[in-house]
Amino acid sequence: MTSQPRDAPQFYLTSPSVCPYLPDREERKVFTHIVGRRGRELNEILTQGGFRRSQTIAYRPACDTCRACVSVRVLANEFEPSGNLRRVLKANADLIGNETPNRPSSEQYSLFRRYLDSRHADGGMADMTVLDYSMMVEDSHVETRVIEYRRRGIDSHITGKGAGDLIAVCLTDQMSDGLSMVYSFYDPEHQNRSLGTFMILDHLRRAKAMGLPYLYLGYWVDGSKKMAYKARFTPQERLLAPGWVRVD
């Protein structure tokens, strides 16, 4: 009798459920657990194959009749912001992101709750408690960081850190070929800043500075307005049937 070693991934398929992106459609996911000594290596292989990480689970769509969800990664070294994106950078020039270990804080959770209550009150994460949030941040077998964005202070040019209230946060995985933005949120009172877009632009800058070729953005969903923004960041590669295909 043989048994699977703990490091060997086993894959599971979810039951059909309502699609959160496209009306009158159902979604299914295939998922596995990222655990053990090979957690980081497995996460990289799966991410490069179109999976996304949530805590210790990696998943990807496995819908029976739909292929609208497409994994997207931006070519950080070649990216140049358009005029509109440069305006977003200018509007947020007073912010600075500080990289910290993946440790939750009450300040983060307070901001997270305000963001959910304002933007996703009827979403699947609406009932997350402080314990749920802590697990989302800490429960990782890969190299994960939290980027906290605050206004620049008097001594930010020396310390590299912002000052004052927390305005935005991104949970980010670092891999050998890029950064992966796992989840981001921000103060809804600053929605005119286009903070979601700004954090992508800042992560593209970070990836380029680190010599990493890609920024993984998750899924672009053809036909979904709330996922359309990901098409703005080009050149990018999309994971299609032949493999990663460049889109300019």
Side-chain angles (χ1 to χ4, degrees):
M1 180 176 177
T2 60
S3 61
Q4 291 286 341
R6 187 171 184 266
D7 288 343
Q10 298 183 24
F11 293 87
Y12 307 89
L13 186 64
T14 65
S15 299
S17 60
V18 176
C19 176
Y21 302 115
L22 299 174
D24 304 321
R25 300 196 193 185
E26 291 184 332
E27 71 165 359
R28 300 187 78 178
K29 294 187 177 76
V30 60
F31 69 94
T32 189
H33 296 277
I34 307 173
V35 294
R37 295 168 298 175
R38 295 182 60 240
R40 180 171 179 175
E41 177 187 355
L42 178 60
N43 182 60
E44 295 211 7
I45 293 171
L46 292 173
T47 300
Q48 292 161 3
F51 281 73
R52 291 288 284 170
R53 184 184 73 81
S54 177
Q55 295 177 221
T56 59
I57 291 176
Y59 67 90
R60 67 169 295 173
C63 305
D64 295 332
T65 60
C66 179
R67 297 292 182 269
C69 294
V70 178
S71 293
V72 169
R73 63 187 187 187
V74 185
L75 280 69
N77 290 328
E78 297 183 49
F79 173 79
E80 292 292 339
S82 64
N84 286 336
L85 295 178
R86 286 196 295 271
R87 283 189 282 274
V88 172
L89 286 170
K90 183 177 180 180
N92 292 283
D94 61 330
L95 299 184
I96 187 169
N98 180 40
E99 181 179 304
T100 69
N102 59 319
R103 298 289 181 268
S105 69
S106 58
E107 187 181 24
Q108 291 172 18
Y109 180 70
S110 177
L111 179 63
F112 176 70
R113 273 266 47 102
R114 295 202 307 274
Y115 173 78
L116 289 183
D117 293 343
S118 174
R119 305 274 300 187
H120 302 287
D122 58 350
M125 303 175 74
D127 296 329
M128 286 182 66
T129 66
V130 64
L131 179 59
D132 295 327
Y133 175 77
S134 297
M135 291 292 289
M136 182 178 77
V137 174
E138 288 185 310
D139 200 3
S140 171
H141 287 248
V142 303
E143 188 172 345
T144 303
R145 296 290 183 267
V146 174
I147 314 298
E148 295 186 339
Y149 294 88
R150 305 175 193 269
R151 285 190 173 90
R152 294 180 182 272
I154 296 176
D155 58 353
S156 290
H157 64 289
I158 299 174
T159 65
K161 299 180 180 180
D165 294 338
L166 188 62
I167 292 179
V169 173
C170 188
L171 184 64
T172 305
D173 288 347
Q174 181 178 336
M175 303 183 299
S176 62
D177 69 343
L179 300 177
S180 177
M181 297 178 70
V182 177
Y183 192 77
S184 62
F185 54 95
Y186 54 84
D187 189 336
E189 293 186 2
H190 293 276
Q191 61 181 351
N192 291 337
R193 285 178 172 266
S194 299
L195 287 165
T197 298
F198 169 69
M199 282 188 277
I200 293 175
L201 293 169
D202 181 65
H203 275 69
L204 283 165
R205 177 193 63 77
R206 290 172 183 271
K208 185 174 183 178
M210 297 168 70
L212 300 173
Y214 301 117
L215 176 65
Y216 288 84
L217 293 184
Y219 301 113
W220 168 74
V221 184
D222 190 13
S224 171
K225 290 184 178 180
K226 63 182 178 181
M227 289 295 180
Y229 70 93
K230 296 182 182 181
R232 301 174 65 191
F233 301 92
T234 56
Q236 62 180 228
E237 292 180 348
R238 297 177 183 175
L239 187 55
L240 305 176
W244 288 99
V245 177
R246 181 182 174 112
V247 176
D248 288 294

